[in-house]
Amino acid sequence: MKKFAIAATLAVASLLAMPAADARTRLTGEQQLSKMLDGREAGKPVSCIPYSQTQNATVIDKTAIVYRVGGTLYVNRPVNADRLDDDDVMVTKLYTSQLCRLDTVQLHDRTANFMWNGFVGLQDFVPYKKVASAN
């Protein structure tokens, strides 16, 4: 019984210490984006991307939305980027088959009954492709 009490105490202590460790290692939005784009090179910005070919979208807190189309990452730094929260759900209403500059994305809080949490206005999409290795 004593071993169980010690193990339970250690487990609780480690759980309590985790938020402090997470706070120290949490990267800023710019750092997260830089890490995601490591080994990639920026291309010429485009005003639209084909939504049907978009495989996923990643929200970088207060910084950008990154859309993956094939092997290319398209970075969009929207108006109101300070509203971006990686815990929000993005709702996009499309009027064409493409996601374009000036489209808006509504943000809904997934933890508060899907309550509306603001919006962002998309800007140009900057494509980032992997840099070919020189072997």
Side-chain angles (χ1 to χ4, degrees):
M1 195 65 160
K2 187 175 183 180
K3 287 181 184 178
F4 176 74
I6 292 171
T9 302
L10 289 174
V12 169
S14 68
L15 288 174
L16 291 175
M18 283 175 57
D22 286 345
R24 284 193 307 266
T25 59
R26 179 114 173 129
L27 300 176
T28 67
E30 290 297 336
Q31 290 170 328
Q32 290 175 33
L33 184 59
S34 178
K35 186 175 179 179
M36 182 180 278
L37 299 176
D38 189 40
R40 294 177 178 270
E41 187 174 88
K44 183 180 177 185
V46 296
S47 58
C48 296
I49 60 173
Y51 190 72
S52 63
Q53 295 175 20
T54 302
Q55 296 158 331
N56 66 13
T58 303
V59 174
I60 308 295
D61 279 346
K62 301 186 182 334
T63 306
I65 305 170
V66 180
Y67 296 91
R68 179 181 294 278
V69 178
T72 303
L73 298 180
Y74 288 89
V75 176
N76 193 290
R77 292 178 177 268
V79 174
N80 294 337
D82 61 320
R83 303 289 306 184
L84 290 172
D85 181 338
D86 64 1
D87 200 35
D88 281 348
V89 174
M90 295 189 304
V91 177
T92 307
K93 292 181 183 177
L94 295 178
Y95 300 99
T96 67
S97 62
Q98 297 190 17
L99 192 57
C100 295
R101 173 177 174 60
L102 302 181
D103 284 345
T104 59
V105 177
Q106 293 181 7
L107 305 171
H108 294 269
D109 188 336
R110 79 174 72 237
T111 60
N113 258 355
F114 206 63
M115 190 170 82
W116 188 76
N117 201 22
F119 75 95
V120 295
L122 299 179
Q123 296 296 309
D124 283 337
F125 298 83
V126 179
Y128 284 83
K129 294 185 179 187
K130 288 188 178 182
V131 177
S133 60
N135 284 336

